[in-house]
Amino acid sequence: MSSNAPKTAPFSLHTPNLAKPTSKSLKDERSGYPSPRTSGKPVGGSSGLASGAVPRIAGPPSPRMKKGKAAQYDRFIPNRSDKELASSQFNIARADSEQPLDGATIAYHEEVARACGVSINKRILSFKEEAPTSDRDDLRQVYSRPVLKPSASTAAKRRILNTPERVLDAPGLVDDYYLNLLDWSLGNMLAIGLDQNVYLWNASSGDVNSLCQLEGDSYISSVKWTTDGAYLAIGTSDGDVQIWDAESQRRIRTMAGHQARVGVMSWEQHMLSSGCRDGSIWNHDVRVADHKTAELVAHSGEVCGLTWRSDGGLLASGGNDNLVNIWDARSVVPKFTKTQHTAAVKALAWSPWQLNLLASGGGSTDRHVHFWNTTTTARLDSIDTGSQVTSIQWSSEYRELVTSHGFPHNHLALWSYPSLAKIVDIPAHDTRVLHTAISPDGQTVATAASDE
């Protein structure tokens, strides 16, 4: 080996390019001894390596190394406790620094550490215990909780009465499946049409007042409260629609125009929709003199079911032609029509906790309740109730609905949704249950039948 061989840069941790060891010399490199085929002595002094010589990578200090020689490491292999990580990182940074601390600085650091009562290799600030938790609820958990209570777990805990809490006489109630003569207001006033009269029962005080009485041969064919419970719309057999102020018990206006009786109505803010026996549906703007704003014609039989969705986007109608029509508020043409029912569709109800969920119930030859997704127009599920379906009421607190029935059982049925398992049957009247209304708190259902 010539002494004139080119010199290489001194080997250290800062040298970017190292000679790649051959596979035959790996065993000798790992053991820390020079390969027998190469010389372990550097050529050209202690600051260089001979050309072609394999550099020896320093590992942990060998027992043969002199005690005074400083150990160097080619990599960081953590083998310390979690509390020593900070001091380990500090030591690595200090070891890699090109300008090591002088003796005066190290002495100063040691003096400050002694004055503070801490070790120079320990963190000054460290939590001994976990940080205290807040007593306030996590908003992410609060708003992700289900609003409605599942009926399966609560049905066993709550008491469902199978006998009426109170019975009121209703003489003169017209026994007609296609009329809608009962409604409960937000102000806890129950309105009922009895022949030519409309009576108001205050559910809070128990007082009963007569609101109006028709003249001649006319009779009350439908009643419907506004959303706030301030005004009551009354449909008559002559085709008129009257608006009454409940507090002053004064008639505000009469809107004429229908050619037959008005059997069903539904409010959407200042807009009142009325369904007629001739199959037409009128939209009335009660704020203006020329009240008729639209006429919806798609039923060939009497319109006996009519209800606006809570957001006012869609109107559902059912008729004696066995059809269910869904109307967009901006159009006079049905958005889609459902023909699965085989009898008149009077029972219609929108879910209060799922906007696009509509339930519809058929008459005595159908006896089914169908559930519709009004976004996709798909039928989600069906129930064969075994009886004529006269009305449907959704619960606002539980995922449940109650259906009222006519022939042959004349009862109420409580169902869980979406399992559609029957929770309980409630005997109601001796004759078919014609009308139902739910209280403002959603806890009580009023029923009406011609058995008085």
Side-chain angles (χ1 to χ4, degrees):
M1 186 177 295
S2 173
S3 61
N4 295 326
K7 298 181 179 180
T8 60
F11 171 66
S12 69
L13 292 177
H14 301 285
T15 304
N17 297 320
L18 301 178
K20 184 176 181 181
T22 60
S23 58
K24 295 181 179 179
S25 62
L26 288 178
K27 181 177 180 181
D28 302 300
E29 291 169 1
R30 292 169 184 165
S31 61
Y33 296 99
S35 171
R37 293 189 298 167
T38 59
S39 172
K41 298 181 181 181
V43 178
S46 59
S47 61
L49 292 175
S51 175
V54 179
R56 175 183 170 187
I57 300 176
S62 173
R64 298 185 181 182
M65 294 179 63
K66 296 181 180 180
K67 296 182 180 180
K69 187 176 181 180
Q72 293 183 350
Y73 300 91
D74 65 327
R75 66 194 71 178
F76 170 59
I77 303 176
N79 188 18
R80 305 173 178 87
S81 63
D82 294 339
K83 296 182 179 180
E84 301 296 333
L85 288 178
S87 60
S88 300
Q89 294 173 358
F90 171 74
N91 290 334
I92 293 172
R94 185 173 61 179
D96 291 342
S97 175
E98 296 182 358
Q99 297 180 356
L101 300 177
D102 56 13
T105 304
I106 295 176
Y108 173 73
H109 287 177
E110 293 175 349
E111 183 177 355
V112 172
R114 261 193 320 272
C116 295
V118 296
S119 173
I120 194 172
N121 293 324
K122 296 284 184 77
R123 293 183 61 182
I124 297 177
L125 299 178
S126 177
F127 286 108
K128 300 299 181 182
E129 298 178 358
E130 293 184 359
T133 58
S134 174
D135 295 334
R136 303 178 65 179
D137 290 336
D138 186 354
L139 295 182
R140 292 172 298 180
Q141 297 179 3
V142 171
Y143 288 104
S144 64
R145 294 172 186 167
V147 177
L148 302 176
K149 303 174 184 178
S151 58
S153 61
T154 56
K157 298 180 181 179
R158 59 193 174 102
R159 181 186 178 191
I160 301 176
L161 298 177
N162 56 8
T163 57
E165 181 180 342
R166 184 173 299 185
V167 178
L168 303 174
D169 290 334
L173 182 69
V174 179
D175 187 8
D176 193 326
Y177 172 82
Y178 301 99
L179 305 185
N180 292 269
L181 301 174
L182 187 69
D183 198 25
W184 209 326
S185 77
L186 187 63
N188 212 18
M189 299 287 289
L190 188 68
I192 185 169
L194 302 177
D195 196 11
Q196 294 184 315
N197 300 275
V198 173
Y199 291 93
L200 302 181
W201 177 64
N202 190 322
S204 301
S205 63
D207 297 334
V208 178
N209 296 313
S210 176
L211 180 65
C212 68
Q213 182 176 3
L214 301 182
E215 299 177 353
D217 295 333
S218 299
Y219 59 88
I220 306 297
S221 55
S222 57
V223 295
K224 192 65 177 179
W225 288 101
T226 56
T227 305
D228 59 2
Y231 302 97
L232 180 68
I234 300 174
T236 70
S237 59
D238 293 335
D240 294 340
V241 176
Q242 301 179 3
I243 308 297
W244 286 76
D245 187 323
E247 185 176 357
S248 63
Q249 296 190 358
R250 181 175 59 89
R251 185 175 63 184
I252 298 176
R253 69 176 301 180
T254 299
M255 298 179 294
H258 281 294
Q259 301 302 311
R261 69 181 182 185
V262 178
V264 63
M265 296 178 292
S266 182
W267 284 95
E268 167 50 32
Q269 297 183 3
H270 57 271
M271 190 71 65
L272 175 65
S273 298
S274 58
C276 184
R277 194 172 195 171
D278 61 7
S280 65
I281 301 171
W282 285 17
N283 289 338
H284 310 265
D285 189 338
V286 299
R287 303 171 299 177
V288 297
D290 189 8
H291 54 87
K292 182 181 177 182
T293 60
E295 182 174 358
L296 313 178
V297 180
H299 288 282
S300 59
E302 180 173 7
V303 180
C304 51
L306 194 65
T307 178
W308 278 98
R309 197 169 69 176
S310 60
D311 65 346
L314 296 177
L315 174 68
S317 64
N320 195 25
D321 54 1
N322 309 342
L323 298 180
V324 176
N325 286 320
I326 307 299
W327 308 79
D328 191 290
R330 301 161 294 183
S331 174
V332 295
V333 178
K335 183 178 179 181
F336 59 88
T337 300
K338 293 300 179 182
T339 61
Q340 279 78 359
H341 285 290
T342 59
V345 182
K346 175 187 177 183
L348 290 171
W350 293 95
S351 169
W353 31 265
Q354 183 176 334
L355 280 180
N356 63 347
L357 177 58
L358 174 70
S360 61
S364 56
T365 60
D366 180 83
R367 303 180 179 185
H368 281 76
V369 175
H370 296 312
F371 298 89
W372 311 99
N373 184 323
T374 56
T375 302
T376 63
T377 73
R379 181 172 59 174
L380 303 176
D381 217 327
S382 299
I383 306 174
D384 185 357
T385 65
S387 298
Q388 178 189 45
V389 183
T390 58
S391 70
I392 300 172
Q393 301 286 345
W394 287 96
S395 172
S396 58
E397 185 174 358
Y398 300 94
R399 290 189 178 272
E400 298 171 354
L401 68 154
V402 61
T403 55
S404 64
H405 300 275
F407 306 116
H409 302 303
N410 308 324
H411 71 295
L412 302 177
L414 185 62
W415 310 84
S416 174
Y417 189 86
S419 67
L420 302 184
K422 182 181 288 187
I423 299 174
V424 65
D425 277 331
I426 304 174
H429 295 269
D430 295 332
T431 60
R432 61 181 176 178
V433 181
L434 292 170
H435 318 289
T436 63
I438 194 165
S439 61
D441 61 2
Q443 300 299 312
T444 307
V445 174
T447 63
S450 60
D451 58 359
E452 301 185 3

